[in-house]
Amino acid sequence: MDFAFPALLIFLLALPGMILRYSYRDWGWKIPVYRLPIGEEVAKSIFAAALLNIVACLIAFGFGYRINFGNVLVLLTGGFDLGSQILSQRLGQITRHPLGIALYFVLLYGGAAAFGLSGRLIVRKFQLDL
């Protein structure tokens, strides 16, 4: 594997945090009221994404799905220092369940948007931002 795939996977794992943060914001403003420095925005998004991924993994475990974190690490590192036979075996294990992986990400992104929108509605309804 080359360098681009682990970078894409990191982006896919961090994307729920960005979706959560942007779906929480009020889209009625044409100009944002405040802007954070890009480093702070990325850090908050990654923290939110980590929490959302933990919740999604716990939900998956609750439904009886087993996530092999060793295979996730192989994807994140690009499979460096693994023999070609072991790497192809690991990739074979991962590619056996493409619909499960796609469902995980679709539900993760949808859940992030739902959490953001419902969080904003709760804060506005009970005036928790005042």
Side-chain angles (χ1 to χ4, degrees):
M1 278 192 275
D2 58 357
F3 178 72
F5 186 77
L8 177 65
L9 183 63
I10 290 170
F11 174 74
L12 290 175
L13 291 173
L15 186 60
M18 293 178 225
I19 292 171
L20 174 74
R21 291 183 50 76
Y22 283 103
S23 64
Y24 178 81
R25 290 184 182 165
D26 190 1
W27 290 98
W29 296 94
K30 292 187 181 189
I31 300 173
V33 177
Y34 66 97
R35 288 191 184 256
L36 294 175
I38 189 70
E40 189 174 341
E41 184 75 34
V42 168
K44 287 183 177 184
S45 294
I46 288 176
F47 179 73
L51 291 177
L52 288 169
N53 276 295
I54 289 170
V55 169
C57 286
L58 291 174
I59 291 171
F61 286 138
F63 280 106
Y65 293 101
R66 195 178 124 253
I67 298 172
N68 189 335
F69 293 106
N71 287 342
V72 174
L73 286 176
V74 167
L75 290 176
L76 287 174
T77 60
F80 298 116
D81 294 336
L82 288 177
S84 62
Q85 184 180 13
I86 295 172
L87 180 61
S88 64
Q89 177 189 9
R90 290 285 183 103
L91 292 176
Q93 291 173 353
I94 294 167
T95 57
R96 272 188 232 140
H97 308 287
L99 292 177
I101 294 170
L103 182 64
Y104 174 83
F105 281 110
V106 166
L107 292 177
L108 181 64
Y109 298 153
F115 278 133
L117 291 172
S118 62
R120 184 179 72 206
L121 291 174
I122 290 169
V123 167
R124 294 292 184 172
K125 180 175 179 163
F126 295 111
Q127 298 178 349
L128 299 175
D129 56 344
L130 298 179

